Amino acid sequence: MVTPGHEGDPLVDATREAVSTAVEAWRLMMAVADAVRRHQQRRRGGVEEDLPPAGEAATDIASTVRDLVPDDIAVALMGGADWPQMAQQTAALRRAGVDLGVFLPQLAEVAVTVRDAVAENAIRISRDGTGEWERMLRETLPAGPVREAILSSPTWPDIAATMARLNADGIDVRQILASAHNEGVGLDQAVARVLGAESAPATSRDATLSYGPLTTGLDLPRDLDLSDRARAMRQLAISPVENERYGRWVQEAMFGREREAGLLLAARQWPLLATRMAEMEREGKPVRDHLDRLLADTSWEQGSSARLSARLVQATHNALRRPLEEVDSSRAAVDTAAARSQSASVDPAKRRSAAKSPASAEPAIAAHRAVGQAPARGRGK
């Protein structure tokens, strides 16, 4: 992964996006190389050889990648959730007779070219003031080769400027992007068939439906299965200890709203939120401070009870993604004492007592932040 920098620093953000795009290009090239290897094996003997064990391959290939690939790209590759699979593919190529001393530097050259192109585009976009269109592209199109090819194209700054002009003319740019992506996917699949990559796993329904704002910047497996919570957590590299910790943080942030916290933790999309928290932890961001917003703004209560779980998921995503210094001036400060006085989990006598007490003039804070009420458990990042 890229070394974390200051939140919102344009240069750091541009560097992170450039390396991320270079890694996507690397994944695409490795997928093509692996498909060619499998095709050759089928032609020779009709049976594909098994890949070497993931743990063994990851350890064996790591030093070779560090020696032959630029540091920033190598670190990002080995920090990805799919690194064990890529290590297996690389080890299988070497076993098939590929000289990694020649092959990996060739891949690295392409990845560096992509990285530098994206970085240069980011500088121009920052200068021209069209950065918001890159965010829209990432929110509208799923992560993958199609989106990254657009962002690494030399014409991307011109595309962004065109999007700005269309938007100014009242055109729904998101709809145009969605339609263009559907066409691009068809083209991508046609090329994959020509290259003999038809054996690559198809994108699952859960992965397809998850692409968008909820997963912007996250590395989703193509066969994501949210119907199996344990499997989804393994696919997203979230350990049981991490999952328990994030669940506890949610319960602490929603003190007094145990029912709603339970709905959030039981939501089908919870693994995606846990993945977002894990990513924030790796970047050194204060996850719990972000979660405190769930009681500071309870607009998620508004609407039908049938959609409450979905609103909680969206509210949690918004709380995690918005910078802490961003203040929503349209929302009045929440009197948490008064709010908790209405909670069904509070004793009726205490509820009446709280209702009679004047609202505190102090800024509202979550109960687990109050002096003397901190939970006994140790706090993580």
Side-chain angles (χ1 to χ4, degrees):
M1 69 183 72
V2 180
T3 302
H6 297 294
E7 180 74 12
D9 185 326
L11 181 58
V12 172
D13 291 344
T15 301
R16 184 180 293 114
E17 291 296 342
V19 173
S20 176
T21 303
V23 170
E24 286 293 336
W26 184 287
R27 289 191 178 103
L28 176 59
M29 292 184 289
M30 280 300 303
V32 171
D34 188 61
V36 171
R37 177 188 64 81
R38 293 173 181 275
H39 178 65
Q40 291 296 332
Q41 286 182 344
R42 289 196 297 270
R43 286 184 59 186
R44 288 198 303 267
V47 179
E48 296 179 12
E49 296 179 7
D50 292 334
L51 292 172
E56 176 185 320
T59 302
D60 185 31
I61 296 299
S63 60
T64 304
V65 170
R66 281 193 289 264
D67 290 341
L68 300 175
V69 179
D71 290 343
D72 54 350
I73 297 176
V75 170
L77 282 170
M78 291 186 285
D82 59 350
W83 164 243
Q85 179 185 358
M86 281 199 291
Q88 286 179 294
Q89 294 172 337
T90 306
L93 288 172
R94 182 175 62 184
R95 192 167 61 186
V98 174
D99 185 347
L100 297 185
V102 175
F103 178 67
L104 291 184
Q106 290 175 337
L107 261 62
E109 183 178 356
V110 176
V112 166
T113 300
V114 171
R115 180 197 65 192
D116 293 346
V118 172
E120 290 173 6
N121 282 349
I123 293 173
R124 179 176 167 186
I125 288 169
S126 178
R127 184 180 66 243
D128 295 343
T130 56
E132 65 180 293
W133 305 110
E134 177 176 350
R135 291 192 293 274
M136 177 181 284
L137 186 79
R138 291 189 178 278
E139 291 173 357
T140 304
L141 305 189
V146 174
R147 189 181 74 184
E148 303 309 330
I150 296 172
L151 291 173
S152 63
S153 169
T155 62
W156 164 244
D158 298 320
I159 295 173
T162 300
M163 291 164 65
R165 289 194 297 272
L166 289 172
N167 183 71
D169 290 338
I171 305 300
D172 187 346
V173 178
R174 288 182 182 272
Q175 183 58 49
I176 291 178
L177 287 174
S179 298
H181 173 260
N182 292 336
E183 296 299 325
V185 167
L187 176 61
D188 183 55
Q189 292 173 344
V191 172
R193 284 193 293 271
V194 172
L195 293 173
E198 65 274 8
S199 59
T203 303
S204 69
R205 175 175 173 80
D206 279 329
T208 300
L209 294 178
S210 297
Y211 287 135
L214 187 63
T215 57
T216 298
L218 299 183
D219 186 12
L220 293 188
R222 294 185 64 185
D223 58 345
L224 179 64
D225 181 8
L226 293 177
S227 64
D228 185 334
R229 175 64 62 87
R231 179 168 184 247
M233 289 300 187
R234 290 194 299 270
Q235 288 180 301
L236 294 166
I238 302 297
S239 71
V241 173
E242 288 176 313
N243 183 45
E244 190 275 337
R245 180 167 70 249
Y246 302 146
R248 185 174 71 249
W249 289 356
V250 165
Q251 291 169 334
E252 292 172 357
M254 300 185 71
F255 179 82
R257 308 300 293 272
E258 287 78 11
R259 172 180 173 273
E260 289 81 358
L263 282 175
L264 177 58
L265 296 178
R268 185 183 179 89
Q269 293 84 5
W270 167 252
L272 302 177
L273 296 174
T275 305
R276 176 74 65 193
M277 295 182 204
E279 182 71 15
M280 292 175 69
E281 272 201 291
R282 285 192 290 270
E283 294 175 354
K285 296 178 181 178
V287 177
R288 299 176 76 179
D289 291 342
H290 283 262
L291 288 174
D292 283 345
R293 290 170 161 166
L294 290 172
L295 284 189
D297 176 4
T298 56
S299 56
W300 43 264
E301 293 180 308
Q302 302 168 10
S304 67
S305 58
R307 296 286 300 165
L308 178 56
S309 178
R311 292 196 302 274
L312 282 166
V313 168
Q314 186 60 51
T316 305
H317 169 255
N318 292 339
L320 294 172
R321 291 288 282 169
R322 283 170 45 216
L324 287 176
E325 61 272 16
E326 181 181 321
V327 178
D328 187 351
S329 59
S330 67
R331 297 288 177 191
V334 176
D335 181 352
T336 52
R340 289 188 184 121
S341 73
Q342 302 302 316
S343 172
S345 62
V346 178
D347 181 79
K350 294 181 180 179
R351 190 159 63 233
R352 287 192 296 273
S353 175
K356 294 178 181 178
S357 301
S360 171
E362 295 298 319
I365 58 174
H368 69 275
R369 297 283 187 240
V371 176
Q373 295 183 15
R377 298 190 183 191
R379 173 172 175 165
K381 292 185 181 177

